[in-house]
């Protein structure tokens, strides 16, 4: 049985990266679809007044704790959970694909980003079977879904930003079989080398968001006031539930 909890009524699975990888592998071997959400405070806040996104968070197969905000929210509930960074988890999935010869697909980001991502992974894993790759700027979801179904990937990384990528995966899941599907946000920008990953010290201190905001100031509006409001709501929620 998977251990689960909720943060502001949204489900979060309590497991480590290796357990998440093991579940992914099992689902591929058993030809089941598996939708993984790397859940962060922005998504949880979005779900508070967007019932269709709330339903998506409740119908996915695994919500892994990304974002230091979720780690802090869990700590407030007395739960110690390591942050599983979406970028790291996706890299592990690619490594798994290379070892176990699973077909992979990439959808998202700008054309030069997705090309460079493909090139970088093939340099690292020359035998990686990339059966699909496409930039994330398109009009007709159904056309793209058909292309992906024809390519038949077993691991599909979708980086369209949230909630677009989760909504897309829900539709894709109805048509595919035996595929692990993960919304990876801006990870392709990192894989391509076009956006620099935050230095390890920032990651260790849980200050990745600060580094990314300084490098891309346009992110400021997304983080503030969402992150502080998220934390205040979590504190209130914890106090009410204890009282
Ligand atoms: N993106 C896309 N299609 C769109 C909108 C965005 O492919 O219609 C891509 C964008 O190029 C970027 C990613 O989605 O690579 C979103 O990155 P963001 O940093 O917003 O995501 P986060 O990691 O914060 O979830």
């Amino acid at each position: 049985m998977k251990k689960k909890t909720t943060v502001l009524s949204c489900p979060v699975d309590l497991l480590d990266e290796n357990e998440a990888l093991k579940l992914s592998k099992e689902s591929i071997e058993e030809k089941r679809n598996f939708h993984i959400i790397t859940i962060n405070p922005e998504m949880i806040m979005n779900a508070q007044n967007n019932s269709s996104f709330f339903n998506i968070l409740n119908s996915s197969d695994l919500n892994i704790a990304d974002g230091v905000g979720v780690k802090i929210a869990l700590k407030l509930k007395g739960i110690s959970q390591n942050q599983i960074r979406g970028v790291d988890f996706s890299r592990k999935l690619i490594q798994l694909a290379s070892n176990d010869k699973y077909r992979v697909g990439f959808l998202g980001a700008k054309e030069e980003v997705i090309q460079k991502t493909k090139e970088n992974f093939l340099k690292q894993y020359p035998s990686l079977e990339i059966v699909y790759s496409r930039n994330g700027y398109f009009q007709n979801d159904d056309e793209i879904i058909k292309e992906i179904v024809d390519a038949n990937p077993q691991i599909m990384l979708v980086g369209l930003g949230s909630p677009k990528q989760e909504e897309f995966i829900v539709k894709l899941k109805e048509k595919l079989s035996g595929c692990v599907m993960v919304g990876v946000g801006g990870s392709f920008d990192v894989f391509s080398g076009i956006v620099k990953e935050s230095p390890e010290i920032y990651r260790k201190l849980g200050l990745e968001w600060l580094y990314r905001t300084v490098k891309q100031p346009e992110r400021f509006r997304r983080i503030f006031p969402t992150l502080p409001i998220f934390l205040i709501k979590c504190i209130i929620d914890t106090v009410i539930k204890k009282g």
Side-chain angles (χ1 to χ4, degrees), residues 64-80:
I64 58 180
D66 195 354
V68 69
V70 177
K71 185 176 166 174
I72 297 171
L74 293 172
K75 195 93 207 152
L76 286 169
K77 297 180 80 154
I79 300 169
S80 196

Side-chain angles (χ1 to χ4, degrees), residues 108-110 136-137 159-161 164 185-186 189 212 219 222:
K110 297 198 182 109
Y137 296 87
L160 304 173
K164 209 171 179 181
D189 299 292
R212 291 177 79 186
R219 295 183 73 90
R222 280 178 42 181

